[in-house]
Amino acid sequence: MPDGSHAIYPEPRALKHSEIQDMVEHYRRAAINAIRAGFDGIEIHGAHGYLIDQFLKDGINDRTDEYGGSIGNRCKFIIQVVKAVAMAIGPDRVGVRISPAIDHLDAMDSDPPKLGLAVIERLNKLQLDLGSRLAYLHVTQPRYVAYGQTESGRLGSEEEEAQLMRTWRRTYQGTFICSGGFTRELGMKAIADGDADLVSYGRLFIANPDLVLRLKINAPLNKYVRKTFYTQDPVVGYTDYPFLESGKRKLLSHL
């Protein structure tokens, strides 16, 4: 709320079977509107406890119809959404984001590796059916750390988590983006090791409006302030992070 307080959340309920196709249509219409507004493409958010993730994770999906229970049933909604959006605006304008191994907002799964593979295998098949690849698959990895602060539970050891991402990356037939607490060095290593085609930065971009330049010349980074991420203030935590000073920028670029 504008005063910093939290509203009372309504009691959640499962979508009625008759409402699910309405949700698919909302995704489709939103994608069409985005393209009409001038966007190059859209990313379908199937991660971090939001609606699609709630269908995917067996720790939160307690449906007893064809959208719940088996892993195939739980993957049905995301594929319907991706197919509808891809057919509306073209597969090459559609990215998909998932987080099988992230436990967030009570959305957890008993077998994240298997869930990730199930989604990827179905996306691969959909691409074949559509006759074109999606723009990319974006996966948030279990290592969810920045500035030494862990912000989510770990699935296993660092090597086990890295191997998990490599398995998903090798399985997906298309451009693979990874994200989740990457530093400059970790991002460069992921690309060099072939663990990803691209690396996504989120929180660091919020705090560093010139992040690309800072990474390029290895400049110091502003630290983000998490408590200002979700506020009503139009400036604080939004446009008040400083750019690299021009003198320092020139000096670092010649090092």
Side-chain angles (χ1 to χ4, degrees):
M1 304 294 285
D3 63 359
S5 64
H6 295 277
I8 298 175
Y9 293 109
E11 183 177 350
R13 66 169 179 85
L15 285 171
K16 296 177 182 177
H17 190 277
S18 59
E19 295 176 309
I20 292 178
Q21 290 310 306
D22 292 337
M23 292 297 107
V24 175
E25 174 59 18
H26 287 327
Y27 280 97
R28 190 188 75 88
R29 177 54 55 185
I32 292 173
N33 290 341
I35 299 303
R36 287 178 175 173
F39 286 88
D40 296 316
I42 60 93
E43 179 178 272
I44 296 172
H45 197 340
H48 298 171
Y50 291 97
L51 183 60
I52 292 175
D53 203 32
Q54 293 172 28
F55 273 85
L56 290 173
K57 303 284 181 63
D58 62 10
I60 197 170
N61 182 341
D62 57 3
R63 301 183 70 94
T64 57
D65 58 12
E66 66 265 37
Y67 289 92
S70 72
I71 199 166
N73 285 357
R74 289 182 279 119
C75 289
K76 187 174 181 179
F77 182 62
I78 187 174
I79 298 304
Q80 289 180 335
V81 170
V82 176
K83 181 178 180 179
V85 171
M87 291 181 68
I89 65 174
D92 60 332
R93 290 175 177 265
V94 180
V96 178
R97 184 172 187 176
I98 59 174
S99 59
I102 297 295
D103 169 8
H104 188 60
L105 298 178
D106 291 332
M108 61 189 75
D109 194 79
S110 61
D111 194 341
K114 185 177 180 180
L115 176 61
L117 286 174
V119 174
I120 290 171
E121 288 166 357
R122 285 162 175 78
L123 289 176
N124 286 341
K125 183 180 184 303
L126 178 61
Q127 291 180 140
L128 289 174
D129 293 343
L130 294 171
S132 177
R133 288 183 175 179
L134 301 171
Y136 60 81
L137 174 64
H138 179 179
V139 182
T140 306
Q141 66 179 59
R143 186 198 67 243
Y144 201 26
V145 180
Y147 302 126
Q149 177 184 1
T150 301
E151 301 190 12
S152 180
R154 300 187 70 94
L155 184 68
S157 69
E158 189 168 323
E159 180 54 36
E160 288 172 333
E161 292 174 359
Q163 186 57 47
L164 175 63
M165 293 295 289
R166 291 181 189 126
T167 298
W168 289 339
R169 192 259 186 277
R170 287 195 300 265
T171 303
Y172 181 62
Q173 297 167 4
T175 299
F176 189 88
I177 301 178
C178 60
S179 62
F182 279 92
T183 61
R184 177 179 185 271
E185 292 71 23
L186 289 172
M188 293 171 64
K189 186 176 187 302
I191 299 300
D193 291 347
D195 292 345
D197 298 301
L198 299 165
V199 173
S200 172
Y201 293 86
R203 288 161 288 172
L204 295 185
F205 238 130
I206 291 175
N208 296 274
D210 51 357
L211 180 65
V212 173
L213 173 63
R214 289 175 185 255
L215 294 181
K216 181 179 180 180
I217 64 177
N218 198 19
L221 301 178
N222 300 321
K223 290 189 176 183
Y224 62 78
V225 181
R226 172 169 283 280
K227 68 180 181 179
T228 64
F229 281 1
Y230 309 105
T231 66
Q232 300 291 324
D233 196 297
V235 175
V236 176
Y238 183 50
T239 62
D240 61 338
Y241 287 105
F243 286 81
L244 196 63
E245 297 175 9
S246 58
K248 185 179 295 184
R249 183 188 311 153
K250 291 179 181 178
L251 176 62
L252 289 169
S253 64
H254 286 88
L255 293 180

